Amino acid sequence: MKRLNLERHLQSNGCELLREGAKHSLYLNPANNQTSAVPRHREINDFLVRKICRDLGIPEP
């Protein structure tokens, strides 16, 4: 999955960008106060996309 599509999915489900790191972006779901790191690659593996969504407590795309 493209990183831009994942970021749009996260933001449409109420997640916010918490901070930018050197190699990852940290997203926060304020509804349940859970965080997850999103790597800065153009393509993100589908297994990792599912893990990020599970960590944040949102449905998978």
Side-chain angles (χ1 to χ4, degrees), residues 1-10 27 38-46 48-49 52 61:
M1 175 178 229
K2 298 272 187 205
R3 181 174 193 262
L4 183 61
N5 294 337
L6 175 60
E7 289 176 342
R8 285 183 184 150
H9 175 72
L10 296 177
Y27 276 86
V38 177
R40 288 225 192 98
H41 302 290
R42 287 189 190 271
E43 284 286 329
I44 298 176
N45 190 346
D46 290 337
L48 184 56
V49 169
I52 291 168

Side-chain angles (χ1 to χ4, degrees), residues 23-60:
K23 296 182 180 180
H24 293 80
S25 301
L26 203 63
Y27 276 86
L28 167 75
N29 187 350
N32 53 16
N33 206 26
Q34 293 178 323
T35 60
S36 185
V38 177
R40 288 225 192 98
H41 302 290
R42 287 189 190 271
E43 284 286 329
I44 298 176
N45 190 346
D46 290 337
F47 294 110
L48 184 56
V49 169
R50 278 188 243 143
K51 182 202 176 296
I52 291 168
C53 291
R54 261 188 271 124
D55 288 348
L56 292 170
I58 62 171
E60 298 172 6

